[in-house]
Amino acid sequence: MFRTMIALLFLALPVAMHAEEPLEVHVTNAQSVRTVRPGAQRVPALTMRFVAPCDAHVRVASLTLTHRGLGDVRDIGGVYILEGKKRLTRSVVVQRTGRTQWPSRAFVVPACGERTIQAALDIAEDADVAGEHVFGVAAAADIVADAPVRLAT
């Protein structure tokens, strides 16, 4: 099975923070069976809810998403991160060879707080109508933060 990695980099703010308790990350895939038309935009792929411990704010420095499924990555015109309706990253094309990285604003989860973001896709106009695309966070190590990370189930 072909796997593609997408990495998101969040630029650092000059704020001294370090949490001892873990940052909890709840990952929810979009509906597993969903049909969208070629050319569709802002198609939800993955939702991530970050819950910070109460001992400090937590800065997320980078995030790596993994593409899985039988669909050709060329079916995806671009991938980006949204928070609500606000776009946090520029759209990037999924690379067949591995990682794709792009900078964004600093992403900080306030102490005792939470933030929810969503990976969204733009589907190419010439996408195969039978393509299957699933994105996920393969391991806690795919999220780099200034606190330990725990993937919640």
Side-chain angles (χ1 to χ4, degrees), residues 78-92:
V79 180
Y80 43 91
I81 299 297
L82 302 171
E83 184 171 26
K85 294 184 179 194
K86 181 180 178 182
R87 188 182 275 199
L88 299 182
T89 65
R90 289 182 282 153
S91 180
V92 296

Side-chain angles (χ1 to χ4, degrees), residues 64-104:
T64 300
L65 303 179
T66 303
H67 173 269
R68 298 180 206 152
L70 303 175
D72 189 324
V73 294
R74 291 178 292 187
D75 289 346
I76 301 169
V79 180
Y80 43 91
I81 299 297
L82 302 171
E83 184 171 26
K85 294 184 179 194
K86 181 180 178 182
R87 188 182 275 199
L88 299 182
T89 65
R90 289 182 282 153
S91 180
V92 296
V93 175
V94 180
Q95 302 295 315
R96 285 175 107 17
T97 58
R99 293 176 179 253
T100 302
Q101 297 181 334
W102 63 96
S104 177

Side-chain angles (χ1 to χ4, degrees), residues 49 55 68 84 94-95 99 116 126 138 146-147:
R49 185 169 58 98
D55 59 345
R68 298 180 206 152
V94 180
Q95 302 295 315
R99 293 176 179 253
T116 300
D126 61 348
D146 58 5

Side-chain angles (χ1 to χ4, degrees), residues 18-24 51-56 58 146-150:
H18 182 72
E20 299 293 324
E21 296 296 316
L23 171 70
E24 272 190 24
V51 181
C54 292
D55 59 345
V58 178
D146 58 5
V149 175
R150 181 168 60 97

